[in-house]
Structure formats: structure tokens, C-alpha cells
Amino acid sequence: MPLLWISLAFLTGIILAAAVTFPAWAWALTALIFYFIRTPRFKTRYSFLVKYPIIPLLPIFLFLGAAYYQVRQPTIDAFHIAFYNDRNYDLLITGYLTEPPDYRDAYTNLTINVQAVDTGDGDLPVSGNILVRVLPNEEYEYGERIRLRGSVKTPPENEEFSYRDYLARQGIHSYMTSAKVTRLPGNDGNPIYKLVYSFKAQLVQHTYKIFQDPEASLLSGILFGVDTGLPQKLQTAFKNTGTAHIIAISGFNIAIIAGLFFSFFKWVLRNERLGAIFAVIFVFLYAFLVGGDPAVMRAAIMGSLALFARQIGRRNAGMNTLAFVALVLALINPLTLWDIGFQLSFFATLGLILYAEPFSNITARLIEKITQQENSAIVSIINDNVILTLAAQVMTIPLMAYYFNRISIISFFANPFILPVQPAVMILGGLAVFVSLMLQPLGQLLAWVAWPFAGYTIRVVEFFDRIPNGVLILGDVPLWFIFMTYTSLLLVTFNWSAIQNWFKSAAVSLRAVALTLSFAVTFICMVLFWSASAKSGDGRFHVTFLDAGSADAVLIQTPEGRNILVNGGASTSDLSDELGRRLPFFTRKLDWLIIASTEEDQLAALPRIVERYTPRNVLWSGNIQASFSSRTLDEYFAQNEIPVSRTEAGQRLELGDGAFIEMQAAGPRGSVLLIQYGSFRVLLPIGVSEGTYESIEYGNTIGKVDVLLLAESGYAPSNPPDIFENLNPQLVVLSVAAGDMDGLPHQEVLESLEGYSMLRTDRNGWIDISTDGTEMRVNVERGQAATKE
């Protein structure tokens, strides 16, 4: 299959060039060198090349792919809009809308083809695209010329998602979060596209006229790719049930829908080949009518390919065609290879090529065995509505796990109930919308006929979404695991006959080997577990705010494995459970216990905890006689000869590797602690008393911090607004009990924190912040994690 291997080599070269930066001429020169060493003497020396002449060509196409990737990278100079990213001044930008506006509830996104930039010295001709976020409720049209005033930024990225890479795949390298817009006369758009986009806007408008929400928004997404009208809760339900592919125009969607339309046209026309031709024509007409943008056309190509692969029934030919289509799409835009939509559609189509026919044959045999007769009608229904979906899902599940950190178990049950009605949703719904353009009363009548199918789709999705444990949450899935999964799956697929024969011949030996391996793996796992448990530290600096109710319990863990506990809260069982989960298996001691406040609710958990996790050293702030637990702890430390040091303002506790805890203020109620590791800084004003903030000039003597703990669970007198302005934290942490009896946090404190990122233990559970000294990673017990720099 030379076309397959040549295409894969070229695509691999693109991926290689993205990882290893060399100029295009270097890659091209390497390809040229490999071309010239393909001499007759070389082939004579390596005789196997006579049988496989394609092998010497593969390095050439690999390096040509790498060179092509480098050639297609944009040149960022003074004539490209990205050159002006992250400047400390506003720009005047002139351009036109290169795509229809993307209307959202709180804002509108405009994609602008930049023609000129004015930095204060007049217009300079500039190229490139920029994404601009403007105020909602203003209407724009494709091709409209506008002038923008605002600052240009590099699109953001973090560990969870790179908006910069996402936009780069669309040829956008600049981002404007807010802009003042001035409309200019004229229209610079393509006249044909202008007509198509205008027609699409009318179709969406009529969809909302003849259908009610949420069915109108569902049909707008299914038919025209405008899915922003669906409420977030319903979008989440589609994602949880693994049926999100039907509400947006994607390769996965069209790969399935093309098969369903093929069945429809084959039944209507009574001819399989003619049905396939009409299905492909319908798919491309549909793609053109909804705008014909690159993502939709890619989906149409992949969907038609899936239909083609199913028709020819030959795995090798289907894989050759799939690889060639991927090559063509990569030639159009090399960054397509990193597009999630492309990857899902590619692997969904590959699943149909590899597994649709074998799965269909297995289904036919099972039904024949059960019913003792051929049931072609039943087999056809099951194949079209269940087997095709299963074949596509087999190859897309690893990707879903990697990108979305979850697998929808319920999708295997939801899709068979939903997919059978999708042809009716698309055909009847689309017919109603198109007819309403010419005769709205008749279109409304057809809409009443189509409505039950759209309503059924939504109600079934909501029903399956309510089933508990339908989604398997995986957390972070490493890339190497996905690679190994696909490698294993493909090896088994292409060597299934050989594997079956080998298992039959080696059955007896395999039992002994399996038993031996079981004992060996068990022993190795135990050793690794003990070894890992005996070690401390994961190479990162952790500050974990434990869920201690309306009190503070903070566990600090250094890269070298030191463990420092600050206060402990009121619940012994909760604190013991948290420490048991976080401290290494063989560690029964704390390196330091810091008493930052001596109030009863701050220390009530510690008297019994220190018996289980004895501190080697204690750093004490506040009045020892302030509470019963404080006095009990003082007695315990004295009896067990545990060193206790009294804190003073300016005192510093060195933790190693440049990390330290510094006492910013100390008084009768406790102390204010500053934790620092590299450029990462956390302020814990746990023991705030009268005059504390004056002594540190309301944070001016400290400077900016990354994380700020609210004092006394959000008690207003202990959290003046000036402290937030002067410290300017990236993240505010609130440790408070759900339904606090004292009404904490106070509303005025929350109002002062508007605009700040905040996490709360009553809503998020424990909050773990880890850092390497530069980047801050946030994990929570409940909710979403984040990464900041």
C-alpha cells in the first residue's frame, strides 16, 4: 500500500517539524541527500529493497513533510498583526469580517482580516487575522469593513487548554479582548460567500420562527452548525451521554449521518450505488448551504470517505484513501493534524473501515443463531443504528479520554435510541425550514410534524443524563498511554488470525506463564508501592487548604518531602483522614507544626492528632492561655520534650531549596505567615488581631502575592478592601463551613472580591496548590482544576 505509507511518512514529517525546530532548507536538504543515496549499488547491498522499493522513499517524504510545515509557518514581522501583540498601548486596526459574527450571550466574537494598523504615525499595511471580542446585541455581517481601537494580545493558554494553539489552527495569532468599533463604508467579502452566509442567517432566523426552544437551538446546531443557543446544562447533558456529535457539524457526526442517509436513499431509489452517490451529493450540498467553512468541508470529506469505505468493503483501499485525504487536508493547513475535530473524524472513519464489516458479520451470525433463520431487516436496522456507532466509538474512545478526561459509558446505550430518529430530525426539520422561506404557514405545519423527533432527542438525552455513574471520570490521561492503546489495538486488529492460532497452539504453556506472571506482577507492584510510600515529595511545592469547616488547616509539602502543618481546625477525624491520605505511608511525623492562631476552633483537632503525627518542631504564635486546646498542646509538648519556638515578626523558617515561611506580623491572637518558593507567594493572615494590618501597611510591605487566604472565614473587620488591592492575588481561598452558623463569609467581603478568582472549601472541598516556583497548578476536590503563571 504505497499511498498509505507515503502519506503517513509525510504526515509524520509535519509532526516531527513541530517538535524539532529546523529551517525549511535544512529539512529539504536532508530529503535531497536521501534522494541521491538511492543508487543501484545501495539497492544491491540491501537486497530486501528490491522487494520493498517503497522503503527508501519514506525518509524523503518524511523530510519533505517537515520542510513543508516550516514553509507554511507565518512570518511574524512588522507587516503581520501578531508583531504588535502584548504592546503597552492601543492600536487602530482596519479590516473586514472574514467570517460571520459569532453571537454569544455576553459578547460577540468577530474574526477580522487585518488590512492596516495605525500606531500613531499613520496606517501601515499589515496582514493576518485577529479575533476580537465586542459587546453583545450589535449586529454585523460578513465582509463588513470596520475600524478597531484596543490593545492586541497573544491568545492565552494553560495546562488544560491552549486557546493560542486552537486559534492558530484557524490562522489567528492575535486576540483583542475588548475594542471600540467604528463601522466603515464598503464590503470586502467574497460575493459568493456573502450570499451563502446571508442565506444561512435567514435559515437560522426562520428556524427560531417556526420552532420553540430548546428544539429550535438543537435544530440550528444540527442543521446549520450554530449551536450557541443551547443552554449550558443541555450541552453538558449531550456531552455526558456521548451524543454531542449530533449537535454540531463534525466529522464524527457526518460519518454516522452519511451512513444513515445512504440507507434512506438506497431504500427510496432501490439502488445501492445510486443511493451512495445521492448521499454524497446531499452531504456536500448540506456543507455548502451551512457556510462551506474549512471545518464543515473537512467533515463532509471525511463523512463521504466513511461512506466510500463502507461501499468498497476493502480495508486496504479504505485506509489508502483515508491517509490520502488526511494528506490533502494537511497540505491545505498543516495544523489540521492537531485539530481535535479532525482527529476524532479521522479515527471514527478508521473505525468504520476496520470494524464496520467484521462487527456487522458478527451481528448477523448471532441473530441467525438466536432466531435459527436469516433476518436481513433486523440485521440492517441494528447495523445502521448500533454497529456503525460502535465501530466509530472503538477508535475514538482513547482520544475522548485523553482530551476530555472522561469516558461516557452511557453513550453505548444512548446512541442506539437517538441515532434512528436523526434522519427524520434532519430531513423533516430541514424541509420545514426551507419551505418556511417561501411559504411560512406551510413551513410551520411541517415544523409541527418535525417537532416530536427533535423533542424526543432532547428528552432521551436528558433521561440518560440522569442515570447515575454514566460518565467515568479518569483525570489526566498521559499521552504515552493513548499511544500504547492505539498501537495495541492496531496490532491485534491486523494480526488477529495469527494471534488466534498462536493461542490455540500455546494454551497449556500460557496457563503456566500467566500464573507465574501474576505472582511476579503482584510482587513487583507491592515492592513499587512500598518504595513509593517510603519516599517523600513529588518534586513540586504543595500548599493544601484542607476542608476544616470555618477554621484553617493548611498542609505544606516541599519538593524534598518536608511536611509542615499550620493549625488544624475542629474535627480530629477529618484532619486525621486528610493527613493519612497525603503523608507518605511510612511517615508518622510532621517536620513542623505551626500554631498561627490559638483560638479553640482553630486547634481543637490537634491534641489527638499530635499523638498520631508527632511534630519534630513547633512554631508557636499567640497566647497559650487563649483556649483549652492551646493549653493541652502546650502540656503535651512539654511532657514529650518537643522543641517549641515563639514567633517574632520578621522571623524566617527555612524549608530548603530556597523555600521559606516568614512571619510578617505576630500578636496575642497569632501571626500572619508569608510562604515563598521561587516567585510563588502565599499569604496566610490566620492570626489577625487589632493593629496587624497597620503594621504591614495593609499589604504594601509585602507586595503582590499569588494566593491569599481570607482571614477568619471571611469576617468583614478582618478583611479590609485595601488588603486585596495592595496584595492583588491571583487566587483567593476561603475556608468556611457550609451554612456557617455565624453567617460567614460576610456579604461585603464577597462584594469586595468581585473580579478576583476565588475557591471555597464549602463548595470545592480541599484545595491543593502546587508549583515549581514559576507555574501555579490548582487542584480541587470538587470542581475544575486550573493552571496559572
Side-chain angles (χ1 to χ4, degrees):
M1 299 190 296
L3 184 59
L4 171 66
W5 295 112
I6 288 174
S7 299
L8 290 179
F10 193 91
L11 298 174
T12 303
I14 292 176
I15 297 172
L16 176 64
V20 181
T21 303
F22 284 122
W25 65 263
W27 293 115
L29 180 62
T30 308
L32 191 64
I33 292 172
F34 271 88
Y35 175 80
F36 280 112
I37 65 174
R38 294 172 57 254
T39 61
R41 182 182 299 177
F42 183 78
K43 294 181 179 179
T44 304
R45 184 176 180 182
Y46 301 99
S47 57
F48 69 92
L49 295 179
V50 177
K51 186 177 181 181
Y52 302 105
I54 189 65
I55 293 178
L57 292 174
L58 297 183
I60 298 174
F61 282 98
L62 183 143
F63 293 119
L64 285 176
Y68 181 75
Y69 173 85
Q70 290 297 339
V71 168
R72 289 296 304 273
Q73 297 310 298
T75 301
I76 308 299
D77 55 20
F79 300 99
H80 193 283
I81 184 60
F83 179 80
Y84 301 93
N85 288 359
D86 306 316
R87 304 297 176 104
N88 294 323
Y89 49 82
D90 287 350
L91 298 173
L92 281 174
I93 298 175
T94 304
Y96 68 92
L97 272 70
T98 189
E99 291 182 5
D102 176 18
Y103 297 110
R104 302 296 176 97
D105 290 337
Y107 57 87
T108 297
N109 282 330
L110 304 178
T111 302
I112 306 299
N113 183 286
V114 180
Q115 298 171 317
V117 167
D118 183 358
T119 61
D121 300 323
D123 281 349
L124 174 71
V126 168
S127 63
N129 292 337
I130 181 172
L131 182 69
V132 182
R133 181 169 292 184
V134 298
L135 295 175
N137 303 323
E138 284 282 344
E139 293 188 0
Y140 300 88
E141 63 177 22
Y142 165 78
E144 181 179 0
R145 297 186 72 247
I146 61 176
R147 195 167 178 85
L148 307 165
R149 178 185 290 275
S151 59
V152 180
K153 301 178 181 178
T154 300
E157 64 177 346
N158 56 46
E159 190 176 272
E160 300 299 322
F161 177 71
S162 176
Y163 199 43
R164 182 174 66 183
D165 292 343
Y166 171 78
L167 292 179
R169 290 191 287 269
Q170 304 173 45
I172 301 172
H173 302 275
S174 300
Y175 180 56
M176 190 177 282
T177 55
S178 62
K180 183 178 179 181
V181 181
T182 302
R183 298 175 186 267
L184 301 177
N187 190 296
D188 290 343
N190 184 298
I192 296 177
Y193 273 104
K194 184 180 179 182
L195 289 174
V196 172
Y197 288 138
S198 176
F199 183 53
K200 176 181 176 180
Q202 291 184 49
L203 291 171
V204 173
Q205 184 180 7
H206 277 260
T207 302
Y208 281 93
K209 282 184 179 180
I210 63 176
F211 290 96
Q212 291 182 330
D213 260 332
E215 288 77 19
S217 293
L218 175 67
L219 286 165
S220 179
I222 290 177
L223 295 173
F224 313 118
V226 182
D227 59 352
T228 54
L230 284 170
Q232 186 62 44
K233 184 178 180 180
L234 187 55
Q235 290 190 41
T236 302
F238 274 97
K239 292 177 183 178
N240 289 341
T241 55
T243 54
H245 55 85
I246 72 169
I247 61 172
I249 302 173
S250 65
F252 184 91
N253 179 22
I254 294 185
I256 302 300
I257 297 299
L260 295 174
F261 279 123
F262 164 70
S263 300
F264 173 78
F265 285 115
K266 182 178 70 172
W267 174 74
V268 170
L269 301 171
R270 304 295 180 182
N271 185 292
E272 187 168 320
R273 290 186 179 274
L274 201 58
I277 293 172
F278 269 86
V280 171
I281 292 173
F282 185 88
V283 165
F284 277 96
L285 281 175
Y286 164 65
F288 183 73
L289 286 174
V290 299
D293 57 77
V296 175
M297 296 308 297
R298 183 205 68 221
I301 293 172
M302 300 298 284
S304 301
L305 172 61
L307 187 61
F308 168 76
R310 186 184 176 194
Q311 283 300 298
I312 61 177
R314 294 173 56 197
R315 184 171 67 182
N316 289 354
M319 292 184 62
N320 268 293
T321 309
L322 176 62
F324 178 71
V325 169
L327 174 62
V328 171
L329 293 173
L331 288 172
I332 297 172
N333 180 6
L335 295 177
T336 298
L337 298 183
W338 286 268
D339 182 75
I340 298 176
F342 165 78
Q343 294 176 12
L344 287 173
S345 60
F346 179 91
F347 280 99
T349 307
L350 181 60
L352 291 171
I353 293 171
L354 296 179
Y355 304 118
E357 184 179 358
F359 286 2
S360 298
N361 294 337
I362 293 172
T363 303
R365 288 196 296 268
L366 285 175
I367 292 176
E368 184 177 349
K369 185 179 292 185
I370 293 171
T371 61
Q372 299 299 316
Q373 60 182 348
E374 291 187 7
N375 289 275
S376 57
I378 297 176
V379 171
S380 178
I381 292 173
I382 294 176
N383 284 342
D384 289 341
N385 299 308
V386 179
I387 300 305
L388 288 180
T389 306
L390 181 61
Q393 284 181 307
V394 165
M395 294 300 288
T396 56
I397 283 175
L399 277 179
M400 301 289 284
Y402 175 71
Y403 284 115
F404 307 116
N405 301 328
R406 59 176 59 194
I407 294 176
S408 176
I409 306 299
I410 204 67
S411 67
F412 295 101
F413 304 96
N415 275 292
F417 281 91
I418 292 172
L419 287 179
V421 304
Q422 294 315 298
V425 171
M426 295 189 69
I427 293 172
L428 295 177
L431 185 62
V433 175
F434 280 101
V435 169
S436 71
L437 291 174
M438 299 172 287
L439 193 61
Q440 185 163 331
L442 181 57
Q444 182 65 72
L445 182 63
L446 291 172
W448 291 337
V449 177
W451 177 86
F453 298 98
Y456 167 84
T457 300
I458 292 174
R459 303 309 180 271
V460 169
V461 167
E462 292 176 336
F463 168 77
F464 279 106
D465 184 47
R466 288 193 293 268
I467 296 177
N469 303 317
V471 179
L472 181 62
I473 304 299
L474 303 175
D476 292 336
V477 178
L479 183 61
W480 65 263
F481 180 80
I482 303 302
F483 177 79
M484 293 299 297
T485 300
Y486 277 120
T487 301
S488 303
L489 192 60
L490 293 175
L491 285 175
V492 170
T493 300
F494 289 105
N495 297 279
W496 181 242
S497 298
I499 292 173
Q500 282 183 312
N501 295 332
W502 183 81
F503 267 98
K504 290 177 181 177
S505 62
V508 176
S509 301
L510 282 175
R511 292 191 187 97
V513 172
L515 186 62
T516 304
L517 285 176
S518 298
F519 282 112
V521 169
T522 302
F523 177 77
I524 292 171
C525 289
M526 291 175 64
V527 171
L528 290 175
F529 173 75
W530 290 333
S531 176
S533 299
K535 295 177 181 178
S536 299
D538 63 352
R540 294 180 68 86
F541 188 93
H542 289 260
V543 178
T544 305
F545 297 87
L546 306 178
D547 188 359
S550 294
D552 302 304
V554 184
L555 179 64
I556 303 165
Q557 295 175 291
T558 70
E560 294 80 14
R562 294 186 179 182
N563 300 286
I564 301 96
L565 178 65
V566 182
N567 280 28
S571 173
T572 300
S573 58
D574 288 346
L575 182 59
S576 182
D577 178 79
E578 293 284 359
L579 293 178
R581 293 174 184 272
R582 286 172 171 75
L583 296 183
F585 183 75
F586 291 111
T587 298
R588 302 294 296 177
K589 287 185 178 293
L590 296 166
D591 293 275
W592 283 90
L593 172 63
I594 298 178
I595 307 296
S597 172
T598 52
E599 295 182 5
E600 181 64 27
D601 60 349
Q602 293 278 6
L603 303 181
L606 289 178
R608 282 187 289 166
I609 286 296
V610 293
E611 297 175 359
R612 305 172 189 176
Y613 299 94
T614 306
R616 292 188 176 92
N617 300 277
V618 176
L619 197 58
W620 192 292
S621 304
N623 183 4
I624 294 176
Q625 303 301 318
S627 64
F628 173 79
S629 295
S630 174
R631 295 191 297 272
T632 303
L633 287 170
D634 183 61
E635 293 175 4
Y636 179 84
F637 298 149
Q639 290 173 2
N640 291 273
E641 300 182 347
I642 297 174
V644 177
S645 303
R646 299 288 297 180
T647 59
E648 297 177 359
Q651 183 179 358
R652 178 177 292 192
L653 175 61
E654 298 290 346
L655 304 179
D657 197 26
F660 61 86
I661 300 175
E662 188 174 271
M663 309 302 149
Q664 296 297 309
R669 295 191 61 191
S671 60
V672 176
L673 311 180
L674 174 67
I675 305 168
Q676 184 162 336
Y677 177 66
S679 61
F680 173 74
R681 310 177 85 213
V682 181
L683 189 68
L684 307 178
I686 296 176
V688 173
S689 56
E690 186 176 354
T692 298
Y693 285 127
E694 287 83 355
S695 67
I696 59 174
E697 297 179 7
Y698 290 90
N700 281 324
T701 61
I702 298 173
K704 294 183 179 181
V705 299
D706 299 288
V707 182
L708 171 64
L709 173 68
L710 288 184
E712 295 188 280
S713 301
Y715 178 59
S718 299
N719 294 276
D722 289 349
I723 197 75
F724 307 137
E725 296 178 5
N726 295 332
L727 295 175
N728 191 25
Q730 292 189 55
L731 175 66
V732 176
V733 174
L734 170 61
S735 183
V736 68
D740 180 83
M741 299 295 292
D742 297 322
L744 297 175
H746 286 160
Q747 185 61 35
E748 53 263 46
V749 175
L750 297 179
E751 291 174 356
S752 299
L753 288 168
E754 287 184 2
Y756 291 88
S757 297
M758 184 170 68
L759 293 173
R760 304 170 49 146
T761 57
D762 60 337
R763 298 176 182 175
N764 302 105
W766 52 257
I767 301 162
D768 176 62
I769 303 169
S770 63
T771 180
D772 58 3
T774 304
E775 178 191 72
M776 181 175 75
R777 183 182 301 165
V778 183
N779 291 310
V780 295
E781 182 180 9
R782 299 183 294 273
Q784 296 182 342
T787 302
K788 295 178 179 291
E789 291 187 1

